[in-house]
């Protein structure tokens, strides 16, 4: 079909073009909140989801429901998606009702899912064949960050398309960084989640060690978070270590999916990830104990049920 057309120059600064016709496919915990934020900021949003029930609150707030991802892509100039894994991305993009079937010259497709670099690059190539541009834009941040508009977004894809939609992305978070191609953005997201999981596991170990020695858990968390090891992600999860029944921001199943993507990618690159291997084993233990849908802070409960060396 030839080379994709450059996006209209007016998108870079004109809300009436870039931000007036937005599509969102995948209205789950993260995607639904992002679509809701875009609606609340005055954008016209078309959307669809595997189950319409999850979208009803957004429809009441003004989202225009579409029956298929293709309809969303056909109606919108900028199309977002957020799904769980490679298989789900393939499901919403391929076939006669998929996003790719609704794309065309000049449109921009932004996938915010955490998927493998291989899968993301393959979809990008197919989008290019329609005349559209595709950006990978995985995010760092939880549902809380979406609601606050404080996501960090790493973007991969051609520079001109990035600049065209950067103002729109900044409605979702202040830290929007172009990092290279689609694969690089996805690789960086896996690197972040690898580190996040390892940090949290080590933090839980420290809290449990202090607690078993007689330190109040709440006090241990406060002191540790106020020390040199404190980080925004650890401080944000303090309440989860005190109330493990709280609604999850990032559940065990999704984190293990990302860790295993990181391990597979590292294997192809010849990089050792020993911390990721340990984390993967502990996440498997969490699932065995029935914690699959709990926030990853549940690792402190898992550690309490793992016998210490020599005591098993």
């Amino acid at each position: 079909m030839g080379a994709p057309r450059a996006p209209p120059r007016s998108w870079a600064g004109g809300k009436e073009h870039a931000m007036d016709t937005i599509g969102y496919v995948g209205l789950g915990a993260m995607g639904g909140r992002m679509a809701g934020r875009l609606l609340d900021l005055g954008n016209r949003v078309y959307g669809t989801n595997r189950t319409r029930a999850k979208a009803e609150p957004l429809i009441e707030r003004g989202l225009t429901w579409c029956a298929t991802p293709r309809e969303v892509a056909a109606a919108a100039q900028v199309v977002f998606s957020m799904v769980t894994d490679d298989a789900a991305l393939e499901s919403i993009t391929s076939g006669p009702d998929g996003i790719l079937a609704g794309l065309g010259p000049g449109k921009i497709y932004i996938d915010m899912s955490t998927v493998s670099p291989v899968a993301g690059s393959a979809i990008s190539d197919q989008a290019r064949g329609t005349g559209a541009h595709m950006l990978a834009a995985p995010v760092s941040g939880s549902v809380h960050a979406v609601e606050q508009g404080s996501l960090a977004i790493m973007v991969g894809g051609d520079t001109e398309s990035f600049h065209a939609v950067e103002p729109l992305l900044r409605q979702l978070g202040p830290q929007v960084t172009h990092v290279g191609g689609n694969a690089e953005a996805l690789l960086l997201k896996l690197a972040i989640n690898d580190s996040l999981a390892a940090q949290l596991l080590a933090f839980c170990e420290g809290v449990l060690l202090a607690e078993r020695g007689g330190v109040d858990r709440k006090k241990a968390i406060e002191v540790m978070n106020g020390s040199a090891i404190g980080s925004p992600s650890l401080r944000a999860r303090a309440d989860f270590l005190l109330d493990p029944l709280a609604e999850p921001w990032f559940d065990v199943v999704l984190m293990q999916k990302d860790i295993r993507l990181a391990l597979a990618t590292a294997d192809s690159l010849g990089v050792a990830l020993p911390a990721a291997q340990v984390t993967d084993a502990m996440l498997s233990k969490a699932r065995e104990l029935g914690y699959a849908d709990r926030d990853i802070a549940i690792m402190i409960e898992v550690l309490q049920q793992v016998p210490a060396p020599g005591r098993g």
Side-chain angles (χ1 to χ4, degrees):
M1 294 186 181
R5 297 180 194 171
R9 292 184 182 277
S10 57
W11 283 15
K15 176 175 177 178
E16 70 276 14
H17 295 290
M19 303 180 192
D20 191 41
T21 55
I22 298 169
Y24 216 110
V25 178
L27 302 173
M30 292 288 286
R33 284 174 170 85
M34 289 187 204
R37 181 170 179 81
L38 292 169
L39 276 170
D40 291 345
L41 291 173
N43 300 292
R44 186 190 310 158
V45 183
Y46 300 84
T48 195
N49 191 61
R50 186 173 57 182
T51 55
R52 177 168 173 149
K54 285 188 176 181
E56 287 295 346
L58 292 171
I59 294 170
E60 292 175 3
R61 290 161 61 185
L63 178 136
T64 300
W65 173 260
C66 296
T68 67
R70 177 179 181 167
E71 290 182 19
V72 174
Q77 199 67 27
V78 180
V79 185
F80 288 87
S81 64
M82 170 72 90
V83 291
T84 55
D85 54 27
D86 290 16
L89 181 61
E90 173 71 17
S91 176
I92 64 166
T93 55
S94 65
D97 290 328
I99 288 173
L100 292 169
L103 292 178
K107 296 196 175 194
I108 295 181
Y109 171 33
I110 306 170
D111 181 51
M112 309 192 85
S113 313
T114 302
V115 296
S116 71
V118 171
S121 295
I123 299 297
S124 177
D125 289 343
Q126 293 176 61
R128 192 177 303 114
T130 71
H133 295 258
M134 180 178 176
L135 299 173
V139 304
S140 179
S142 64
V143 294
H144 182 62
V146 179
E147 292 165 350
Q148 291 187 326
S150 60
L151 290 170
I153 307 173
M154 55 225 77
V155 187
D158 73 271
T159 304
E160 190 170 2
S161 294
F162 165 70
H163 287 308
V165 298
E166 184 179 0
L168 179 57
L169 291 172
R170 289 192 180 278
Q171 293 189 13
L172 300 173
Q175 186 177 327
V176 179
T177 309
H178 186 253
V179 300
N182 291 61
E184 284 77 17
L186 292 164
L187 181 60
L188 190 53
K189 172 58 189 295
L190 296 179
I192 289 171
N193 280 4
D194 174 27
S195 181
L196 168 63
Q199 285 181 45
L200 182 61
L201 180 58
F203 189 77
C204 289
E205 286 183 352
V207 171
L208 185 58
L209 177 65
E211 185 177 48
R212 288 281 174 88
V215 180
D216 175 72
R217 179 180 292 194
K218 183 176 181 180
K219 182 62 66 178
I221 292 170
E222 289 175 356
V223 173
M224 291 171 67
N225 268 331
S227 74
I229 67 169
S231 71
S233 62
L234 294 178
R235 294 188 188 104
R237 277 194 160 73
D239 288 345
F240 285 91
L241 296 178
L242 298 170
D243 179 15
L245 296 178
E247 181 182 357
W249 287 353
F250 193 168
D251 69 41
V252 166
V253 169
L254 287 178
M255 177 55 88
Q256 188 167 46
K257 180 264 296 183
D258 291 356
I259 291 298
R260 289 184 172 176
L261 284 176
L263 285 166
T265 304
D267 184 60
S268 70
L269 296 174
V271 178
L273 298 184
Q277 291 176 336
V278 172
T279 303
D280 182 43
M282 294 304 297
L283 291 167
S284 290
K285 184 65 175 178
R287 296 176 73 166
E288 289 176 18
L289 293 171
Y291 297 142
D293 60 350
R294 304 286 285 280
D295 188 84
I296 52 176
I298 200 67
M299 298 308 296
I300 194 165
E301 303 295 323
V302 176
L303 287 168
Q304 291 187 92
Q305 299 178 60
V306 175
R311 296 193 178 189

